């Protein structure tokens, strides 16, 4: 097949095709539904400025809406001699409509076509990640409320420090995800800007209506400057991957805690048999492989923004083919993180918490600060009370005051989970995803 960019009578060696196309056919299957949406918006805009007749537009829209379900069902494929998804969709339109199909590319470059596809893809996947993150958040809040009275040793430097609780522990990771949602929102809003109409980075002499395509695709706004629209390639991927890495960092740390707390040396919680694996030599083993793999997968995700940074290093403005490689970094990352979020939710649902942990005398020193505060409340200056308790510990006369009276905001006795939930709801509302979803549905109607 003739490529979108191919000159008459000029061909490319098969080895060059293999090297330059790379994994694009595989990666571009992810972009197929978004290429159809971009074509629908572009065609409607071309009709309003007179580059397509109403009949041409109606034929193109009908055919694009016929192609779209194929991209959802798995029936859509990019043929072996077709370079990418953009070429495949245009080929399908031309086969069905003849010369009308060839008109779809007016006022557009493959550069802004792939950019708009990537923006729509990234926007969609980030919202999927946001919804999955919210499900894990809700699970953590529920477990926090359920176990707010179950005390847990708190550690600094991996040494016992002060009393904590499972309510605090679960709630801490919930609040972490609430903060992580802000990074997802930032990435979403950056992806939610329209590059269509920037062409190869220098616009077009056609009177394109970029505001219209922005509205039709449900974008929050334009990448206004056509040169910068092209410069957003790479930046979009890096911003998205930074957001995914932030969520992955929280999950990796949670997984590490679970590995520690499930071990016999800590024994704070138990993973049910269905969540563990055994040993081929040690019959007693119940290994937390799920948590370990969650930790490993999330740590790999944390490396991806640097991979984009290195690919983009020292590139001048304008488009460069190096950027094609970023698809291979970006696209699998979404599925990997969504899988991690699903398994984290499942694991958190089934974790069994051990009650009455602090009744054990080995945790007596956890209450040393309570003893200091007890003396302070009786009128003794803090520094003197601190030295007194230190002396009691050294002389083995210390008696731990196990009754806790923590009431300040965010403490054992006052988790304030309702405020954490409110912060999460505010973060999710900031995406503006309803507008994008409504616009996509309207294009396909």
């Amino acid at each position: 097949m003739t490529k979108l960019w191919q000159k008459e009578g000029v061909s490319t060696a098969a080895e060059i095709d293999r090297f330059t196309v790379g994994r694009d056919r595989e990666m571009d299957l992810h972009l197929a539904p978004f290429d159809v949406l971009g074509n629908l918006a572009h065609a409607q805009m071309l009709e309003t400025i007179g580059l397509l007749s109403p009949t041409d537009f109606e034929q193109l829209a009908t055919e694009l809406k016929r192609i779209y379900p194929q991209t959802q069902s798995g029936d859509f494929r990019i043929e072996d001699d077709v370079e990418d998804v953009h070429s495949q969709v245009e080929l399908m339109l031309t086969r069905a409509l003849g010369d009308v199909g060839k008109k779809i590319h007016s006022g557009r470059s493959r550069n802004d076509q792939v950019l708009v596809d990537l923006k729509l893809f990234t926007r969609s996947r980030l919202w999927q990640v946001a919804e999955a993150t919210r499900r894990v958040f809700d699970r953590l809040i529920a477990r926090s409320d359920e176990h707010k009275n179950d005390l847990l040793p708190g550690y600094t430097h991996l040494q016992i420090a002060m009393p904590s609780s499972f309510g605090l522990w679960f709630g801490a990771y919930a609040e972490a995800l609430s903060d992580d949602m802000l990074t997802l929102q930032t990435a979403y809003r950056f992806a939610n800007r329209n590059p269509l109409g920037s062409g190869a980075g220098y616009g077009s002499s056609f009177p394109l209506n970029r505001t219209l395509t922005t509205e039709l695709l449900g974008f929050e706004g334009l990448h206004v400057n056509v040169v910068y629209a092209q410069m957003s390639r790479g930046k979009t991927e890096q911003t998205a991957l930074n957001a995914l890495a932030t969520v992955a960092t929280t999950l990796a740390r949670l997984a590490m805690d679970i590995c520690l707390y499930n071990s016999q040396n800590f024994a704070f919680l138990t993973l049910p048999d269905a969540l563990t694996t055994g040993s081929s030599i040690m019959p007693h083993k119940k290994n937390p492989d799920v948590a370990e793999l969650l930790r490993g997968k999330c740590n790999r995700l944390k490396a991806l923004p640097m991979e984009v940074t290195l690919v983009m290093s020292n590139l001048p403005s304008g488009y460069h083919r190096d950027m094609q490689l970023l698809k291979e970094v970006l696209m699998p990352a979404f599925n990997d993180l969504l899988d991690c979020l699903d398994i984290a939710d499942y694991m958190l649902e089934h974790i069994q918490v051990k009650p009455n942990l602090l009744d054990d005398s080995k945790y007596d020193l956890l209450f040393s600060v309570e003893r200091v505060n007890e003396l302070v409340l009786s009128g003794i200056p803090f520094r003197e009370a601190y030295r007194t308790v230190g002396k009691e510990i050294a002389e083995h006369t210390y008696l731990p005051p196990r009754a806790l009276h923590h009431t300040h905001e965010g403490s054992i006795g006052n988790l304030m989970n309702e405020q954490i939930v409110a912060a999460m709801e505010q973060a999710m509302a900031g995406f503006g995803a309803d507008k994008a979803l409504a616009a996509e549905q309207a294009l396909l109607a």
Side-chain angles (χ1 to χ4, degrees), residues 28-47:
D28 277 12
L29 290 175
H30 297 287
L31 297 180
F34 306 103
D35 197 73
V36 172
L37 290 170
N39 273 301
L40 280 165
H42 185 68
Q44 188 168 332
M45 184 274 295
L46 291 179
E47 192 266 338

Side-chain angles (χ1 to χ4, degrees), residues 118-127 129-130 179-194 219-220 223 228 232 234-247 305 330 334 337 427 430-432:
L118 282 167
K119 291 283 191 179
L120 294 171
F121 165 84
T122 303
R123 179 178 79 177
S124 174
R125 293 294 185 268
L126 282 168
W127 182 242
V129 169
D179 276 350
D180 296 344
M181 192 63 74
L182 294 174
T183 68
L184 289 170
Q185 182 199 122
T186 296
Y188 181 96
R189 293 185 65 186
F190 184 69
N192 200 20
R193 290 162 68 185
N194 184 19
F219 282 118
E220 183 177 336
H223 277 308
Y228 177 63
S232 73
K235 192 174 182 179
T236 300
E237 292 91 329
Q238 186 178 49
T239 304
L241 288 167
N242 274 321
L244 300 191
T246 301
V247 177
L330 177 71
F334 285 106
L337 184 56
F431 282 74

Side-chain angles (χ1 to χ4, degrees), residues 11-61:
S11 60
T12 306
E15 184 65 11
I16 298 303
D17 274 347
R18 182 197 64 78
F19 186 78
T20 55
V21 172
R23 296 177 62 191
D24 250 19
R25 293 187 187 94
E26 173 192 349
M27 294 296 113
D28 277 12
L29 290 175
H30 297 287
L31 297 180
F34 306 103
D35 197 73
V36 172
L37 290 170
N39 273 301
L40 280 165
H42 185 68
Q44 188 168 332
M45 184 274 295
L46 291 179
E47 192 266 338
T48 67
I49 64 171
L51 288 181
L52 286 177
S53 70
T55 301
D56 289 345
F57 167 67
E58 186 62 35
Q59 288 181 313
L60 285 165

Side-chain angles (χ1 to χ4, degrees), residues 369-381:
V369 178
E370 304 300 321
R371 172 63 178 146
V372 171
N373 291 349
E374 189 178 71
L375 294 176
V376 170
L377 288 171
S378 72
I380 298 173

Side-chain angles (χ1 to χ4, degrees), residues 6 26 40 53 92 95 115 123 145 168-169 224 227 236 259 299 346 352 360 362 374 382 384 408-409 422 430:
Q6 194 167 341
E26 173 192 349
L40 280 165
S53 70
M92 295 168 77
R95 282 174 177 166
L115 256 175
R123 179 178 79 177
D145 289 338
L168 274 179
W169 182 69
V224 178
V227 173
T236 300
C259 290
N299 284 338
Y346 183 87
Q352 298 164 359
D360 194 312
K362 68 184 177 183
E374 189 178 71
F382 176 83
E384 184 178 337
H408 69 73
E409 298 93 330

